[in-house]
């Protein structure tokens, strides 16, 4: 990255050592800092006040695009760095192109690391947290200025910053695999039969089809590292990251579409009554994995699909709608699942619209 406002990481590391010898403390923070707003400025001033010098590790253009979607960043890394360096509170800017700031943390070994938002040291990304532990960095969580974000600024400029009744919801789609329900929802939006916006797509599987489909539609699509808890449970850092991504994308409804993990804690609390799931059975029959296979193996003559609200159980929340599907002689697991999915693709967009209309009516 060529810019006189961007410092080389090794040079900053050497500068950090020189300051250290003088007993001075270096603060590091990282972020995209696209379209600077007053929230950024106050945050950076607060971070700088924690030590004697502030280094900003800036997400490179490719990583901003991955985090925020096509059309972002608005400003190139070179321009963002120049703007940051014009602030009295910013001493150095380095750029990193990976998703995480781990390499920069390892190189610069800050005395103090500042992070914005409602993180706790435990819910920081485990890789970054391990790098901070290696460096012996103190971790400080700074509060963000409510309502201030680049995404909100862009929405205000586009004229759809305020959510008023009658405006479609902003959706987050969470999926682990094939993504056919995601496609059905996105197609319904494109056709105009579902008034909604897909604000972000999240997946616990890095190479899932749902993420590549979302990216090919120019939507923000992010892999969330699920953690290594037993039984496929989402770790605290993953739950925190999901909750933060949903909030920063100003999401109204969370749509689980083949998401094979159980949500709990911060996500359920923040979006109570606003998380929907689709399940390929007539619940309460056959919750859990491979529901259609179990319906077939039991010799049932019909099955179906259910859209329900999500609680802390497995496919157990209040039901919103069901569609019945006959099990035909000669059906295999594949033919049956394909027929159920046809119904799912028609049912899910309809239920999303109806649920949102209900929430709007309640005010
Ligand atoms: C769908 O059939 C959905 O009902 C099921 O996973 C499939 C995902 O397909 N969900 C569950 O079993 C949840 N317990 P997709 O990725 O093509 O949308």
């Amino acid at each position: 990255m060529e810019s006189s406002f961007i410092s080389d990481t090794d040079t900053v590391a050497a500068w950090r050592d020189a300051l250290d010898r003088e007993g001075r403390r270096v603060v590091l923070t990282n972020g995209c800092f696209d379209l600077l707003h007053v929230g950024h400025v106050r945050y950076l001033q607060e971070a700088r006040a924690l030590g004697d010098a502030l280094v900003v590790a800036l997400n490179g253009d490719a990583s901003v695009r991955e985090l925020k979607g096509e059309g972002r960043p608005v400003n190139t890394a070179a321009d963002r760095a120049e703007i940051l360096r014009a602030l009295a509170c910013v001493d150095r800017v380095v750029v990193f192109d990976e998703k995480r700031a781990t390499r920069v943390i390892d190189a610069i070994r800050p005395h103090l690391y500042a992070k914005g938002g409602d993180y706790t040291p435990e819910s920081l990304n485990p890789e970054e947290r391990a790098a901070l532990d290696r460096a012996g960095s103190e971790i400080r969580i700074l509060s963000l200025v409510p309502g201030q974000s680049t995404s909100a600024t862009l929405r205000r400029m586009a004229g759809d910053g305020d959510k008023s009744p009658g405006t479609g919801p902003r959706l987050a789609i969470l999926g682990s695999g094939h993504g056919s329900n995601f496609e059905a929802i996105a197609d319904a939006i494109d056709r105009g039969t579902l008034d909604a916006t897909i604000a972000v797509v999240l997946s616990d599987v890095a190479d899932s089809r749902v993420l590549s489909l979302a990216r090919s539609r120019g939507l923000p699509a992010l892999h969330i590292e699920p953690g290594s808890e037993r039984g496929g449970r989402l770790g605290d850092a993953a739950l925190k990251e999901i909750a933060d991504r949903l909030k920063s994308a100003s999401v109204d409804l969370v749509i689980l579409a083949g998401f094979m993990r159980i949500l709990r804690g911060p996500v359920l609390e923040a979006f109570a009554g606003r998380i929907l799931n689709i399940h390929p059975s007539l619940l309460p029959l056959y919750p859990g994995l491979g529901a259609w296979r179990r319906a077939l193996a039991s010799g049932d003559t019909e099955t179906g699909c259910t859209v329900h609200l999500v609680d802390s159980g497995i496919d157990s929340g209040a039901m919103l709608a069901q569609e019945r599907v006959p099990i035909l002689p000669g059906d295999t697991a594949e033919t049956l699942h394909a027929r159920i999915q046809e119904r799912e693709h028609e049912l899910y967009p309809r239920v999303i619209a109806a649920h949102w209309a209900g929430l709007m009516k309640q005010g």
Side-chain angles (χ1 to χ4, degrees):
M1 179 62 56
E2 285 308 308
S3 157
S4 55
F5 300 98
I6 297 173
S7 303
D8 167 71
T9 305
D10 292 337
T11 311
V12 174
W15 176 69
R16 172 258 181 233
D17 289 345
L19 291 175
D20 182 63
R21 284 192 292 277
E22 294 167 10
R24 296 205 277 163
R25 284 158 61 82
V26 172
V27 183
L28 176 75
T29 192
N30 61 284
C32 302
F33 298 99
D34 196 10
L35 281 190
L36 218 62
H37 53 72
V38 70
H40 287 137
V41 174
R42 288 186 204 159
Y43 170 81
L44 291 167
Q45 284 168 334
E46 207 183 321
R48 173 64 174 76
L50 296 170
D52 302 296
L54 177 64
V55 180
V56 177
L58 194 60
N59 284 82
D61 294 341
S63 73
V64 176
R65 194 166 311 116
E66 192 189 339
L67 288 166
K68 309 283 185 185
E70 252 350 280
R72 299 286 303 275
V74 175
N75 292 309
T76 63
D79 287 356
R80 288 181 282 130
E82 183 170 345
I83 292 165
L84 284 168
R85 284 298 305 275
L87 298 178
C89 57
V90 174
D91 299 280
R92 296 287 187 277
V93 174
V94 296
V95 170
F96 64 105
D97 279 311
E98 312 85 80
K99 196 171 159 193
R100 310 267 173 228
T102 319
R103 185 182 52 80
V104 178
I105 296 168
D106 274 331
I108 296 178
R109 294 176 298 118
H111 298 89
L112 205 140
Y113 175 74
K115 184 90 183 166
D118 48 358
Y119 281 85
T120 63
E122 290 68 39
S123 66
L124 286 177
N125 170 266
E127 261 181 44
E128 289 178 349
R129 177 64 209 258
L132 292 166
D133 289 346
R134 280 195 293 279
S137 312
E138 192 184 321
I139 300 171
R140 292 290 285 273
I141 310 296
L142 307 182
S143 53
L144 294 179
V145 180
Q148 291 288 346
S149 75
T150 299
S151 312
T153 307
L154 288 170
R155 278 199 299 281
R156 279 201 301 275
M157 289 172 72
D160 59 352
D162 295 325
K163 284 174 214 142
S164 46
T167 307
R170 292 174 60 77
L171 310 179
I173 312 269
L174 273 61
S176 302
H178 193 65
S180 70
N181 278 287
F182 156 74
E183 276 184 301
I185 293 164
D187 286 346
I189 293 171
D190 289 348
R191 277 196 309 272
T193 51
L194 172 61
D195 177 19
T197 304
I198 298 177
V200 67
V201 177
L202 303 177
S203 178
D204 56 320
V205 180
D207 59 356
S208 56
R209 183 170 174 269
V210 67
L211 282 184
S212 44
L213 285 174
R215 288 190 184 117
S216 66
R217 285 176 180 256
L219 295 168
L222 295 169
H223 171 232
I224 305 288
E225 182 55 54
S228 51
E229 293 222 1
R230 275 183 307 157
R233 273 165 59 90
L234 285 169
D236 287 346
L239 287 161
K240 176 77 176 72
E241 189 174 355
I242 293 173
D244 286 347
R245 295 286 178 209
L246 299 179
K247 286 183 213 160
S248 70
S250 307
V251 160
D252 297 305
L253 295 178
V254 180
I255 305 300
L256 308 191
F259 187 64
M260 297 307 179
R261 305 268 181 174
I262 309 290
L263 292 176
R264 55 191 173 85
V267 182
L268 289 188
E269 285 152 23
F271 290 91
R274 289 167 178 258
I275 311 178
L276 278 61
N277 181 42
I278 190 151
H279 183 74
S281 81
L282 294 173
L283 288 172
L285 291 175
Y286 310 119
L289 295 177
W292 64 95
R293 272 194 211 97
R294 285 180 285 143
L296 189 64
S298 304
D300 296 354
T301 53
E302 71 168 2
T303 181
C305 48
T306 307
V307 178
H308 64 94
L309 290 177
V310 171
D311 61 13
S312 56
I314 298 181
D315 303 318
S316 58
M319 287 189 251
L320 300 176
Q322 288 191 317
E323 281 283 337
R324 293 177 179 278
V325 175
I327 300 181
L328 304 176
D331 254 342
T332 62
E334 290 68 35
T335 57
L336 180 57
H337 191 210
R339 257 199 341 281
I340 295 171
Q341 287 215 299
E342 278 176 28
R343 301 264 47 82
E344 289 187 342
H345 299 160
E346 183 269 324
L347 179 69
Y348 215 177
R350 207 158 32 86
V351 179
I352 292 167
H355 189 63
W356 179 247
L359 288 174
M360 287 291 91
K361 228 180 260 166
Q362 287 166 23

